[in-house]
């Protein structure tokens, strides 16, 4: 299992596929350990894709004495890319903090970034998002992982998809399973999300950027994604009308892949 001593912790990573380099990052989880199948279908046929465990997730260690911030998680990725001698990379952030990490990398190390994709993202938390993310954390702390998992799934998936797939979304092997028996890491991930703020620095992002707006997202919908499109010079915005916080279902995934691959092909 590949690990590297990066930014004062052991960082686990995997590389899949071949082609132009890309990094794919999600929210409070990982695409590693067999989860690469959740990547956009066909991505690893066209690109060499780096996925990795955030601090405290999977096989990456963490130092709880280090202040959790999005800049810290971004520096982890920056140092990993330097370690791998990767430059000119497509940064693909999907739903949550992976997008925020991408913003920080694009601002602080533009030489590393060929293009950037953000979906389910924000430049800074308004009061509603702040309270929502904090509530997710509090539910996990006060009521346990399984209640947290069900609570967040209800916010993250369309009712039709949830009704048909509840049996596989919930439980020890369901969504956000990396946080089971791992509240300490969840607390730190949320802290980084709550304090993330690039609003006044978005104009410094030079990389071609795609912002995908999910019209039915009850967590990070157009209210939080439109300011990214408006704040990043030349950013392209696309709206998916029937998508919630998580892209789920065959038709939605096909639509998402068409949008993603069309953008990547231009850059």
């Amino acid at each position: 299992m590949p690990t590297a001593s990066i930014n004062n912790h052991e960082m686990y990573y995997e590389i899949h596929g071949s082609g132009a380099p890309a990094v794919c990052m999600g929210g409070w989880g990982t695409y590693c350990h067999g989860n690469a199948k959740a990547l956009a279908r066909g991505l690893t046929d066209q690109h060499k894709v780096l996925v990795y465990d955030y601090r405290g997730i999977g096989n990456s260690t963490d130092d709880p004495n280090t202040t959790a911030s999005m800049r810290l998680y971004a520096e982890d990725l920056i140092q990993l890319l330097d370690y791998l001698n990767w430059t000119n990379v497509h940064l693909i952030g999907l739903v949550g903090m992976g997008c925020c990490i991408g913003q920080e990398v694009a601002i602080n190390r533009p030489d590393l970034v060929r293009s950037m994709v953000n979906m389910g993202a924000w430049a800074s938390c308004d009061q509603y998002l702040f309270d929502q993310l904090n509530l997710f954390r509090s539910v996990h702390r006060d009521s346990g992982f399984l209640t947290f998992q069900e609570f967040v799934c209800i916010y993250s998936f369309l009712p039709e998809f949830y009704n048909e797939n509840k049996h596989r979304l919930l439980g020890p092997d369901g969504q956000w399973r990396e946080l089971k028996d791992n509240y300490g890491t969840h607390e730190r991930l949320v802290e980084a999300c709550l304090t993330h703020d690039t609003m006044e620095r978005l104009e410094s992002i030079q990389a071609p950027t795609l912002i995908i707006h999910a019209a039915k997202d009850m967590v990070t919908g157009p209210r939080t994604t439109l300011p990214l499109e408006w704040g990043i010079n030349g950013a392209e915005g696309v709206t998916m009308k029937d998508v919630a916080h998580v892209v789920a279902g065959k038709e939605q995934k096909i639509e998402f892949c068409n949008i993603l691959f069309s953008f990547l092909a231009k850059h």
Side-chain angles (χ1 to χ4, degrees):
M1 295 184 293
T3 61
S5 296
I6 298 290
N7 202 19
N8 299 315
H9 81 299
E10 290 300 311
M11 193 168 181
Y12 177 89
Y13 67 94
E14 298 174 2
I15 298 172
H16 300 271
S18 60
V23 181
C24 198
M25 300 166 286
W28 299 329
T30 181
Y31 286 110
C32 297
H33 317 291
N35 293 327
K37 60 183 181 293
L39 295 171
R41 180 167 294 183
L43 184 64
T44 56
D45 295 333
Q46 303 179 32
H47 296 276
K48 179 172 59 176
V49 181
L50 170 67
V51 293
Y52 64 97
D53 289 342
Y54 297 140
R55 290 169 171 262
I57 291 286
N59 291 337
S60 286
T61 62
D62 193 12
D63 178 3
N65 296 315
T66 303
T67 300
S69 69
M70 209 59 71
R71 188 69 183 88
L72 174 69
Y73 292 98
E75 186 61 32
D76 291 343
L77 176 57
I78 287 169
Q79 292 194 26
L80 180 59
L81 291 173
D82 284 342
Y83 172 83
L84 295 172
N85 292 317
W86 281 26
T87 58
N88 208 30
V89 174
H90 296 292
L91 294 183
I92 304 171
L94 300 178
V95 186
M97 66 177 287
C99 303
C100 302
I101 290 170
Q103 295 166 30
E104 286 286 359
V105 175
I107 290 168
N108 292 288
R109 283 292 302 276
D111 59 299
L112 295 176
V113 185
R114 180 172 183 172
S115 74
M116 183 174 73
V117 177
N118 268 203
M119 181 178 186
W122 63 95
S124 65
C125 286
D126 63 9
Q127 193 62 57
Y128 188 88
L129 180 59
F130 186 97
D131 290 350
Q132 198 171 34
L133 296 176
N134 200 41
L135 179 60
F136 292 161
R137 178 170 59 174
S138 297
V139 168
H140 189 178
R141 180 193 64 210
D142 299 339
S143 300
F145 170 76
L146 294 177
T147 302
F148 152 79
Q149 182 189 59
E150 184 173 13
F151 187 65
V152 179
C153 278
I154 287 172
Y155 270 97
S156 299
F157 294 91
L158 293 177
E160 299 81 5
F161 186 87
Y162 180 88
N163 288 338
E164 294 179 6
N165 297 278
K166 178 179 176 180
H167 62 286
R168 65 186 183 88
L169 295 175
L170 304 183
D173 297 322
Q175 297 293 302
W176 298 285
R177 57 188 172 274
E178 298 89 356
L179 299 178
K180 183 178 180 293
D181 301 320
N182 197 10
Y183 171 74
T185 291
H186 187 203
E187 183 177 43
R188 288 171 55 74
L189 295 175
V190 172
E191 189 61 29
C193 291
L194 295 178
T195 56
H196 172 66
D197 190 351
T198 55
M199 190 67 76
E200 301 301 322
R201 296 179 288 147
L202 291 176
E203 63 182 6
S204 68
I205 294 177
Q206 303 170 13
T209 298
L210 171 66
I211 308 297
I212 303 176
H213 311 291
K216 295 185 177 180
D217 186 344
M218 294 193 295
V219 185
T220 51
R223 187 190 84 258
T224 68
T225 54
L226 280 171
L228 289 163
E229 181 184 345
W230 297 333
I232 299 173
N233 293 326
E236 176 183 348
V238 177
T239 298
M240 298 183 71
K241 295 181 180 180
D242 297 313
V243 172
H245 189 59
V246 177
V247 176
K250 182 178 179 180
E251 291 183 2
Q252 291 186 5
K253 289 182 177 180
I254 291 173
E255 180 185 4
F256 169 76
C257 285
N258 288 338
I259 293 169
L260 175 65
F261 293 140
S262 175
F263 174 76
L264 295 178
K266 291 189 296 185
H267 302 287

